[in-house]
Amino acid sequence: MNVDSSKKPPIDTHTKENLPYVGITIGDPAGIGPEIVLKAISENDQRDVCRPMIIGDLRFLRQLAEEIDVRIELFDADAPANPDRPYLAVPVIDLGNLREEFPRGIESEIAGKASAEYIVAAVDLWKSGKIDAIVTAPINKKALALGGYDYPGHTEFLAELTDTKDFAMSFFAGKLCVVLLSTHVSLRNAIALIKTDKLVDLIRFTEQKVSALLKRKIKIAVAGLNPHASEDGMFGNEEADEIIPAIEVCREKFGIDVVGPFSPDTIFLRGFEGEFDAVVSCYHDQATIAVKCLSFGASVNVTLGLPLIRTSVDHGTAYDIVGKNSADSSSLRSAIKLAAEFAGIRKNS
């Protein structure tokens, strides 16, 4: 894989020069990632927030655009500047890694390997200063493994590529920000991970990283594990033994504005309505069920702790609808806009 990132791709002279460059990977090419990328980028409002750049396979993307009738001109990012190029033409970092036929709608070695190479290329471009943020379309863990990359998902892969030790998955949905204590582990193991020291670390991490993104002090709520946050020990002891001590340490020792634990069946709605800036969740599905019920298609996955800005969609590869031209690009559009917003804040700070 060779990525020439020695120069920024040529951008039409009509483009607003103060907008951030946002690199967008197409994800698993056997899934809906390429489709939603093309649909999202074809919307003119994207040009109001960023200068988009697709990271994928140019030949494949051109064929797909014709197949799903997306009217968009794609050009090789390494091509010479052309003053006659249309304003809405989009540069593609062309890895040319889909020359072989591969099945669409199922996991495969070719698609998995390609999806990993797009991520690596995006990080390389960011390291070289050619893009300001990364937005990722969905990948598939099994396909990734078939392609020779053993990672649970984007979060861990990006952490290794950027030599990041402390990181966390989060979701942004309007006024709601949810930060997860654990991600892709069994529920039994997730409960075992609810320990005072881990929660103290996550609350402090959340306060630092979300405050940095929003450029202000934040108020944090912590969700309980058990129904009604155990109701004073009636339904479990994790709140009293692990969660409350963590909150007290963060308040008294570190001066963090954090409260809880609150009943998990209401706290996410309170965050969504703006009562809190961030909600710390005890495990993956506790967070994602709430986020997707409140804001599916508009919520954005953000990896906190990385040196780069990375956002993603709130859904998977959706193999079952590949080829039907029915994939909704709403979440990806939201991810692009949020990445551009965060990149703008960082550039202007």
Side-chain angles (χ1 to χ4, degrees), residues 231-243:
E231 204 160 305
D232 294 325
M234 292 184 66
F235 312 121
N237 56 12
E238 286 83 2
E239 283 79 6
D241 292 349
E242 308 294 344
I243 301 176

Side-chain angles (χ1 to χ4, degrees), residues 7 20 32 38-39 41 70 88 100 141 181 192 288 293 320:
K7 60 182 184 304
I32 63 169
L38 290 172
K39 288 179 175 179
I41 295 303
V70 170
L88 295 179
E100 298 179 57
K141 179 182 177 181
L181 180 63
T288 56
C293 284
D320 57 316

Side-chain angles (χ1 to χ4, degrees), residues 41-265:
I41 295 303
S42 68
E43 297 291 334
N44 294 351
D45 62 345
Q46 301 298 317
R47 303 307 192 287
D48 295 331
V49 297
C50 72
R51 290 175 280 185
M53 180 191 315
I54 299 175
I55 301 164
D57 184 290
L58 181 57
R59 181 189 62 86
F60 171 73
L61 287 168
R62 282 174 170 164
Q63 290 178 347
L64 181 62
E66 184 174 350
E67 176 185 320
I68 63 176
D69 196 29
V70 170
R71 307 299 177 87
I72 184 172
E73 180 169 335
L74 306 172
F75 66 94
D76 191 332
D78 289 327
N82 181 357
D84 296 325
R85 185 171 290 129
Y87 164 55
L88 295 179
V90 179
V92 177
I93 301 294
D94 181 20
L95 300 196
N97 51 7
L98 296 178
R99 301 306 181 192
E100 298 179 57
E101 292 296 321
F102 65 94
R104 294 172 63 186
I106 62 172
E107 303 94 342
S108 72
E109 177 184 348
I110 293 173
K113 185 172 183 289
S115 67
E117 290 173 346
Y118 302 139
I119 300 166
V120 174
V123 173
D124 287 345
L125 288 164
W126 171 80
K127 287 180 177 178
S128 301
K130 307 305 179 287
I131 56 178
D132 301 299
I134 295 173
V135 177
T136 57
I139 58 175
N140 178 279
K141 179 182 177 181
K142 182 177 178 181
L144 202 65
L146 290 172
Y149 295 83
D150 188 19
Y151 297 97
H154 274 109
T155 303
E156 296 79 7
F157 195 178
L158 288 164
E160 180 167 313
L161 289 173
T162 58
D163 195 28
T164 301
K165 304 304 180 187
D166 298 319
F167 56 90
M169 178 185 290
S170 72
F171 288 88
F172 283 71
K175 295 179 180 179
L176 175 64
C177 167
V178 181
V179 185
L180 284 63
L181 180 63
S182 61
T183 55
H184 303 119
V185 299
S186 71
L187 183 56
R188 186 184 302 276
N189 289 341
I191 293 171
L193 290 171
I194 301 172
K195 298 297 181 184
T196 297
D197 58 343
K198 290 184 178 296
L199 279 164
V200 168
D201 288 344
L202 183 62
I203 293 168
R204 295 183 66 196
F205 178 88
T206 298
E207 196 276 332
Q208 293 166 1
K209 302 305 179 183
V210 177
S211 292
L213 283 175
L214 301 180
K215 295 301 177 184
R216 59 178 171 81
K217 294 289 291 182
I218 64 168
K219 184 173 184 178
I220 302 170
V222 180
L225 170 68
N226 298 295
H228 306 290
S230 85
E231 204 160 305
D232 294 325
M234 292 184 66
F235 312 121
N237 56 12
E238 286 83 2
E239 283 79 6
D241 292 349
E242 308 294 344
I243 301 176
I244 291 175
I247 293 170
E248 291 175 346
V249 167
C250 289
R251 288 180 63 87
E252 296 169 9
K253 184 175 181 180
F254 300 108
I256 298 173
D257 188 1
V258 56
V259 290
F262 294 106
S263 178
D265 63 356

